[in-house]
Amino acid sequence: GAGVSQSPRYKVAKRGQDVALRCDPISGHVSLFWYQQALGQGPEFLTYFQNEAQLDKSGLPSDRFFAERPEGSVSTLKIQRTQQEDSAVYLCASSPTSAGRKDTQYFGPGTRLTVL
Amino acid sequence: GESVGLHLPTLSVQEGDNSIINCAYSNSASDYFIWYKQESGKGPQFIIDIRSNMDKRQGQRVTVLLNKTVKHLSLQIAATQPGDSAVYFCAETPGYDYKLSFGAGTTVTVRA
């Protein structure tokens, strides 16, 4: 079956540009997570959606980062006025039930963002 | 087989040998632990998980051991194959939370 997909796989942006990263979770999955992975590090939590509701955005590093999941399926992570420190791999993960159930999170391949 | 008592960032193992990857966690409230495998250019791939009410769980060629007393987690891979070469992360989450906290990762290289 189809897993989590993300697009684009690679994005190069000039400093100050806005970018939008897309995540298509596994069909029917209730929970959706965004993580940021710096080079050589483990992923770090950014934000969590349960269906269309953004229940936790405590990991977003600044107000330049914005995420949405308007219909409870596809999600978009938007970064405004990108900075060099935003360069990282952005990972999306989904799980079948609400996060309180501690189900396995299945990750997509990530989008590698490079800000010049 | 190769084994390490402490977390090391890299592990080189001969094909066919068993390998052991260690992970220490700090949050005594953590009750759910997962091992992920990440190959170059790909997202983390689920390997096996364990909850805090267990101390051992086996999968296909993999075994996870949990020692809550010393807050230590290990992943054993039997008969390591070239396809096992990757970065392995342990992740944890406490009972009151769902955010995965990832460890530093161990790069496993399988020698032919």
Side-chain angles (χ1 to χ4, degrees), chain A residues 9 33 35 37 40-43 45 48 56 58 91 99 101-105 107-109, chain B residues 31-32 36 38 41-44 46 49 51 89 93-95 97-100 102-104:
Chain A
R9 291 295 315 278
F33 303 81
Y35 290 83
Q37 186 173 25
Q41 304 294 316
F45 171 83
Y48 162 63
D56 188 338
S58 62
L91 294 163
R101 294 282 301 275
K102 299 289 183 74
D103 276 324
T104 302
Q105 295 182 27
F107 283 81
Chain B
D31 66 348
Y32 181 55
Y36 283 96
Q38 188 172 29
K42 297 183 179 181
F46 171 85
D49 60 2
R51 300 184 188 270
F89 291 100
T93 182
D97 206 347
Y98 43 74
K99 290 172 279 212
L100 292 176
F102 283 79

Side-chain angles (χ1 to χ4, degrees), chain B residues 27-40:
Chain B
N27 191 344
S28 56
S30 290
D31 66 348
Y32 181 55
F33 305 86
I34 312 174
W35 281 100
Y36 283 96
K37 170 187 179 183
Q38 188 172 29
E39 297 174 276
S40 180

Side-chain angles (χ1 to χ4, degrees), chain A residues 1-75:
Chain A
V4 178
S5 61
Q6 293 185 246
S7 61
R9 291 295 315 278
Y10 304 91
K11 178 68 178 178
V12 178
K14 292 183 179 179
R15 190 175 57 172
Q17 283 185 331
D18 298 348
V19 298
L21 312 180
R22 177 188 169 106
C23 172
D24 284 79
I26 295 172
S27 178
H29 276 199
V30 169
S31 293
L32 185 144
F33 303 81
W34 283 98
Y35 290 83
Q36 181 189 59
Q37 186 173 25
L39 188 63
Q41 304 294 316
E44 294 193 355
F45 171 83
L46 293 177
T47 188
Y48 162 63
F49 288 86
Q50 180 176 308
N51 296 309
E52 70 279 2
Q54 187 176 20
L55 299 187
D56 188 338
K57 51 184 180 180
S58 62
L60 296 177
S62 77
D63 59 7
R64 296 186 294 104
F65 286 70
F66 172 77
E68 60 182 5
R69 193 187 186 196
E71 298 179 356
S73 55
V74 171
S75 177

Side-chain angles (χ1 to χ4, degrees), chain B residues 19-84:
Chain B
S19 51
I20 300 176
I21 307 164
N22 292 298
C23 178
Y25 63 95
S26 57
N27 191 344
S28 56
S30 290
D31 66 348
Y32 181 55
F33 305 86
I34 312 174
W35 281 100
Y36 283 96
K37 170 187 179 183
Q38 188 172 29
E39 297 174 276
S40 180
K42 297 183 179 181
Q45 175 188 354
F46 171 85
I47 302 173
I48 192 168
D49 60 2
I50 188 168
R51 300 184 188 270
S52 59
N53 60 350
M54 304 174 68
D55 52 22
K56 180 180 180 179
R57 192 168 186 215
Q58 290 184 290
Q60 185 176 9
R61 280 203 307 121
V62 295
T63 301
V64 56
L65 299 177
L66 175 62
N67 186 330
K68 296 181 287 295
T69 302
V70 295
K71 297 201 283 287
H72 182 267
L73 192 69
S74 68
L75 177 70
Q76 301 177 3
I77 304 175
T80 312
Q81 303 170 358
D84 294 328

